[in-house]
Amino acid sequence: VQLQASGGGSVQAGGSLRLSCAASGRTLNNYAVGWFRQAPGKEREFVIAISKYGVTTYYVGSVKGRFTISRDNIKNTAYLQMNSLKPEDTAVYYCAARVGSASMGRNYDYWGQGTQVTVSS
């Protein structure tokens, strides 16, 4: 499956963005989907993930109450809604897909190319 992340941009602190992860080649409902981010000089870190059928989600504590992951298996797309953005959310955001259950690790099988999110104070 090929993944295309989009929707990044520059916003002020407190603003919102919605990232999209469009899949092609295979139907997305065969995969759990995760979002990761990588800030300059830092390792790529897990942000949030959703199971194949959207029943279960996992997220890192720093985004609790602010970020929401969802998926539309008919549109073959997953989404990351980011609200109340903070400067520390600035990073390149990557979507990823894996066969099996959602994971908070980097053990995903397929990765998108990343989209830049910049939050200014």
Side-chain angles (χ1 to χ4, degrees):
V1 62
Q2 291 79 45
L3 303 175
Q4 179 77 35
S6 62
S10 297
V11 297
Q12 289 191 327
S16 298
L17 282 173
R18 188 176 82 155
L19 306 184
S20 298
C21 178
S24 60
R26 299 276 180 92
T27 54
L28 195 60
N29 61 7
N30 291 322
Y31 305 92
V33 175
W35 285 93
F36 293 74
R37 64 187 179 187
Q38 187 167 17
K42 295 188 176 181
E43 291 191 354
R44 191 172 300 186
E45 65 171 355
F46 169 80
V47 178
I48 196 166
I50 189 167
S51 59
K52 282 196 298 185
Y53 301 113
V55 174
T56 306
T57 60
Y58 303 93
Y59 49 85
V60 67
S62 61
V63 306
K64 182 180 180 181
R66 301 189 298 124
F67 289 14
T68 304
I69 188 171
S70 61
R71 61 190 302 156
D72 185 334
N73 286 340
I74 295 176
K75 294 183 177 179
N76 231 24
T77 302
Y79 303 96
L80 174 60
Q81 178 67 44
M82 305 186 294
N83 298 327
S84 302
L85 282 161
K86 303 176 180 180
E88 52 263 43
D89 295 318
T90 295
V92 177
Y93 283 71
Y94 299 87
C95 63
R98 71 185 303 269
V99 176
S101 58
S103 170
M104 298 177 70
R106 284 186 282 183
N107 53 344
Y108 281 70
D109 302 300
Y110 305 97
W111 292 82
Q113 85 292 358
T115 184
Q116 176 71 46
V117 171
T118 303
V119 185
S120 58
S121 58

